Amino acid sequence: MAEGPALDAAETLEQLHQAHDVSDLDTSGRTAGRLGQIHPIGWASAGLLVVAAVFHLRDTEWLIGNFSWWHWVGLVLITLISLRPGPMKAISLFLDGISRFVEEGSNSFAHPRAGLATIFVVLAIFGLMIGPLVSVADWIFGTSVEPISTSEFEVTDAGNGWLRGAIAAVVLIGLLYAVNRFARGVLSDEAVSLRAGLLLGAAGFVVTFVAVWITDGWQPGVTAGFAIALLLAAVAIGPLWVIAWGIFIVIFFYVVTRYTARFIEADIIIGEVNSLGLNLFGLLALIGVGYGVKAGVNPRIDFWWADFSKMRKAWLDFVLHTLLFVPFLWAALRLLSSYATTNLGFKRDFSGETAGEWPAGWHVWETWAQSSDAGNLPAGPLRATIFVGFVLFLAQIGSEMIKNGFVMIHREDLADLKATDAPARIE
């Protein structure tokens, strides 16, 4: 019998344990070819363009066949942008930055002083959305507002508005200078600490309370003070958690004042404080939904989902978002846009001759939709925020679609995937 060559078992095992020609996983997407590197959002937008063009030529009354010019331009731009991964990644980072601001506030910016500028912008835009501050603006500019009907009002100038306006401008400049000096001291570590954010909110409460107390009384001053304090602290260190704690503080204050009124024989119940707490609760839900999508807290059947590969998860998410989420949110935004403007005072023309018009004059807050309960804050701003909440929801869904699309074209290096925990236990 012929005897074969001897086999050295120890040497063979050593060779098996040695790694030869180990290379990193190729995530460049080049193996998919030129067409395979196009982001799937581009294919979806191109397909929608073709379908819309077909329905447009058929002269249908459906929306998909009657796009406005900016619909066509938007779809073409999305298709062109999807040809290169760089712009798509930049868009995803920008959309994620919005949700990160909801969590971290001004600390989400590259430099905290950009957050300080954001505080001033937010105050300028939303400052008068708080009911009691309207009286401060009327007092500063020396005007009186007399309502004529539910949507009409007459503004009377007292004649000395320029003097009060000049004084208010000097005071405002002084306050901004003081805040800037304060920020230079607390932002040395390039981050707004919890202590600094709370001090900023407390200072905002004191200043607002005194200003409104002088012009409109101490009870509206408490409401406006709470609102401005929460606004300043939220922009500084994060709206999500500040608003959550603010709801507890405001409602706790309302409960205490409600039950202590009987002991001191005085009516210290401030209905606007309770209204502020309810508005904050609605605002928290509206701005938090986008963050929930980014953090991956949307409910799934985890014990079934966890065993799927990254590619299968990406395909499922992308297809479901494209076919279900995006159409639903787009339809919701179309319905909510007119709802928001109407609650902010836009007067619709039911004759159909024009789209409508905003009320004359600059006191537009006088025509906001009011609450059905007397003594509550205007309902218009919060109702308009529903539209903003759905915009944030759609923006974060778009960011997730971009990430899932990168996985689908084998560009996981750009996907920024979230680490998943173990499947949930089923008791």
Side-chain angles (χ1 to χ4, degrees):
M1 178 181 291
E3 192 171 323
L7 180 64
D8 190 341
E11 181 180 358
T12 302
L13 289 175
E14 183 179 357
Q15 292 177 354
L16 290 175
H17 285 290
Q18 291 179 352
H20 295 285
D21 300 328
V22 177
S23 60
D24 295 333
L25 179 64
D26 183 12
T27 59
S28 64
R30 289 189 296 266
T31 57
R34 183 177 297 274
L35 294 180
Q37 297 182 49
I38 300 176
H39 197 280
I41 288 183
W43 292 110
S45 60
L48 183 57
L49 275 172
V50 173
V51 174
V54 171
F55 277 91
H56 181 74
L57 294 175
R58 294 183 60 184
D59 194 20
T60 178
E61 295 183 356
W62 293 358
L63 173 63
I64 195 172
N66 294 274
F67 280 171
S68 301
W69 65 269
W70 59 272
H71 290 121
W72 298 101
V73 173
L75 289 174
V76 171
L77 286 178
I78 292 175
T79 305
L80 294 177
I81 292 175
S82 66
L83 299 178
R84 302 295 298 273
M88 296 296 291
K89 178 62 176 178
I91 293 175
S92 177
L93 291 175
F94 172 77
L95 297 178
D96 281 347
I98 299 175
S99 296
R100 189 166 60 252
F101 174 78
V102 171
E103 180 184 9
E104 302 175 4
S106 61
N107 291 324
S108 64
F109 293 96
H111 197 280
R113 300 237 167 82
L116 182 64
T118 305
I119 292 177
F120 298 146
V121 173
V122 171
L123 282 176
I125 296 176
F126 296 105
L128 291 178
M129 294 179 70
I130 303 164
L133 290 186
V134 174
S135 61
V136 178
D138 292 338
W139 180 83
I140 289 176
F141 292 99
T143 58
S144 61
V145 181
E146 295 294 335
I148 300 175
S149 63
T150 56
S151 60
E152 299 290 340
F153 57 92
E154 181 180 359
V155 179
T156 304
D157 191 351
N160 57 356
W162 65 270
L163 179 60
R164 293 185 179 183
I167 296 175
V170 172
V171 173
L172 180 60
I173 292 174
L175 289 175
L176 294 181
Y177 177 76
V179 172
N180 184 57
R181 291 294 299 270
F182 170 79
R184 288 179 181 272
V186 301
L187 300 182
S188 57
D189 57 350
E190 296 189 354
V192 180
S193 63
L194 177 63
R195 176 176 175 271
L198 294 179
L199 286 176
L200 189 61
F205 176 85
V206 173
V207 173
T208 306
F209 173 72
V210 173
V212 179
W213 186 9
I214 294 174
T215 59
D216 199 27
W218 70 272
Q219 291 186 344
V222 171
T223 307
F226 274 136
I228 290 296
L230 292 174
L231 180 62
L232 287 172
V235 177
I237 57 180
L240 204 61
W241 314 118
V242 170
I243 293 177
W245 279 102
I247 294 171
F248 170 77
I249 295 172
V250 170
I251 297 300
F252 180 76
F253 175 86
Y254 174 76
V255 172
V256 170
T257 56
R258 177 181 178 183
Y259 285 99
T260 55
R262 66 185 69 174
F263 299 107
I264 62 176
E265 297 181 355
D267 184 10
I268 60 173
I269 301 175
I270 308 175
E272 287 181 340
V273 172
N274 184 49
S275 176
L276 177 64
L278 297 176
N279 287 355
L280 288 173
F281 184 80
L283 182 63
L284 179 66
L286 292 173
I287 68 173
V289 64
Y291 167 77
V293 174
K294 178 179 180 294
V297 298
N298 47 316
R300 292 190 180 97
I301 307 177
D302 290 339
F303 69 92
W304 176 63
W305 176 266
D307 293 333
F308 288 171
S309 65
K310 293 180 180 179
M311 181 64 71
R312 180 178 293 183
K313 291 178 180 178
W315 269 98
L316 280 174
D317 273 351
F318 187 87
V319 172
L320 292 177
H321 288 170
T322 303
L323 299 181
L324 297 180
F325 257 136
V326 173
F328 163 73
L329 292 175
W330 184 257
L333 289 177
R334 284 183 57 85
L335 295 175
L336 291 172
S337 59
S338 60
Y339 177 77
T341 55
T342 301
N343 278 279
L344 290 180
F346 184 79
K347 295 182 291 186
R348 300 177 62 185
D349 185 1
F350 293 99
S351 66
E353 297 180 359
T354 62
E357 61 179 359
W358 289 97
W362 54 278
H363 282 66
V364 293
W365 54 81
E366 298 293 342
T367 58
W368 284 344
Q370 301 298 314
S371 174
S372 57
D373 297 327
N376 283 358
L377 296 178
L382 183 64
R383 293 176 182 175
T385 310
I386 298 176
F387 176 80
V388 179
F390 272 80
V391 170
L392 297 177
F393 193 7
L394 179 60
Q396 193 57 50
I397 288 293
S399 177
E400 297 303 309
M401 291 178 63
I402 293 176
K403 298 173 187 177
N404 291 323
F406 280 134
V407 176
M408 294 164 61
I409 60 175
H410 303 284
R411 292 302 307 268
E412 295 186 14
D413 56 318
L414 302 175
D416 190 22
L417 296 174
K418 296 180 291 291
T420 56
D421 297 329
R425 292 178 57 188
I426 303 178
E427 302 293 345

